[in-house]
Structures are given as structure tokens and as C-alpha cells.
Amino acid sequence: MVQTESIVLPSVDELNVNEVNLTYPVLKAAAFHLGKYCEFKNNEFMLCKCEQSDPRECIEEGKLVTACTLDFFKQLKKHCKDEFSQYYNCIDKASFNYRFNPCRKTQSVFDKCVLNNLNIERPMFGYYAQVKVHDSSRPKPKYNIIEFPVYAAPVSRDEPLLPPKYNSRRLWSQ
């Protein structure tokens, strides 16, 4: 991608953040509770990405999402380490495509532990697909609204019409 001199890129120090180095089964096992724990910060980040045309504007929101994720896994390790390790090991080893079905018993034990210690209830099925209104403290963006000309129909009721080629024109001109 071609850049001009007027574009200022963020420094490496601004972009440097602790990463979440976890495998797919671990992230899949914690996904529902993690989404609930970091919902507000994730919605802020996604709103920023959608509203801003420049990804450099959302660096701080992205750092907050990563910090929230790290905090969640620290809390999970502190309170539900054994239950969580049994659950993600079951997901990892019970099926070749990481299905939840063979691990419902370990899932219920893990869900109870998270509910009792972190006060996070597993969201209902379809929770993340529901439409929600996010109340943000960020200012609303200013959009450039493009006005398109509106063309009026050239045919009036008084003008005689040419004979239709396939059907009645009167059906559409009323």
C-alpha cells in the first residue's frame, strides 16, 4: 500500500501490548463467558472501527479489549483453574473438530464455577446475534450525506400514452 509523507503512523511503543497466547480449544471453551465479561469494551472497539475510517483512531480501544481478556483469564485461573482445564481438555480431545456435545458434563461444572466465583452466567443461545443498543460516551461521528437528485416521472395523466408493448401501462402509472 502506498503511503504519503503526510500520514503519521503510530510508533512501535504505541502498538506494543501483551498478547493473549492461548490455543483454539482454550479460547473456544471460554468464549461465551469471555464475551460476557468484556462485552462493553468489545462493543466500544467495534463501534469505533465501524465509525472511523482510520484504524489508528481505535488503538486505545483495542488495547482495552486485550487487557480485559487478560484480566478475565487471570480471574479464571485464580478461581476455576481445575474445572476450566478439564473442560478445554475435553473439547480438545473428545472430537476431531472441537465439538461441545461430548463435553456437556464438564461444561456444566465449569459454568457453575464461573457463576459462583466470577458472577458471570453463561449467555443463552443466540445472545450474541441479538440486536443491542450500545450506549457510548464517545462523540457521534459526522457523516457526509450525499444528496441525490430526485427525478419525477415524465408521464402525466393527461398525456396520451403510446400503446404498450407487453401489458397495460395504466397499472403502473396510477
Side-chain angles (χ1 to χ4, degrees):
M1 185 163 94
V2 178
Q3 300 292 331
T4 62
E5 289 180 6
S6 63
I7 295 178
V8 178
L9 296 176
S11 67
V12 176
D13 294 334
E14 288 179 274
L15 297 175
N16 194 11
V17 67
N18 289 336
E19 294 182 9
V20 182
N21 292 324
L22 296 172
T23 60
Y24 178 73
V26 175
L27 289 172
K28 185 170 180 170
F32 293 99
H33 299 291
L34 173 63
K36 201 72 167 142
Y37 187 80
C38 298
E39 183 173 19
F40 182 80
K41 292 176 183 168
N42 190 41
N43 288 346
E44 276 291 316
F45 175 67
M46 294 307 292
L47 183 68
C48 179
K49 274 183 59 176
C50 289
E51 288 179 347
Q52 304 296 328
S53 60
D54 188 3
R56 295 173 291 175
E57 301 290 326
C58 305
I59 291 174
E60 291 304 316
E61 286 85 355
K63 286 181 179 181
L64 290 175
V65 171
T66 305
C68 181
T69 303
L70 288 171
D71 182 49
F72 172 74
F73 280 108
K74 286 177 187 174
Q75 295 293 323
L76 200 60
K77 184 177 179 181
K78 180 179 177 184
H79 295 290
C80 301
K81 182 180 179 182
D82 295 333
E83 293 87 349
F84 183 59
S85 63
Q86 288 176 353
Y87 181 46
Y88 77 73
N89 279 323
C90 179
I91 289 174
D92 189 20
K93 296 178 177 134
S95 67
F96 68 94
N97 56 355
Y98 307 114
R99 304 279 303 192
F100 288 116
N101 294 346
C103 306
R104 295 298 182 193
K105 290 180 182 177
T106 55
Q107 175 186 333
S108 65
V109 172
F110 170 64
D111 288 344
K112 286 177 188 173
C113 179
V114 171
L115 181 62
N116 293 338
N117 294 316
L118 299 177
N119 199 20
I120 302 172
E121 187 175 357
R122 185 181 189 90
M124 65 178 189
F125 182 76
Y127 174 79
Y128 296 109
Q130 293 176 345
V131 176
K132 300 174 192 72
V133 176
H134 178 70
D135 187 23
S136 177
S137 60
R138 295 178 45 241
K140 291 185 179 181
K142 293 178 176 53
Y143 294 111
N144 294 332
I145 298 175
I146 301 171
E147 295 289 333
F148 292 104
V150 178
Y151 297 105
V155 178
S156 70
R157 292 186 181 265
D158 299 333
E159 292 179 31
L161 295 173
L162 298 174
K165 189 173 182 181
Y166 293 110
N167 203 349
S168 173
R169 280 201 185 116
R170 292 290 177 198
L171 179 68
W172 304 108
S173 65
Q174 292 179 0

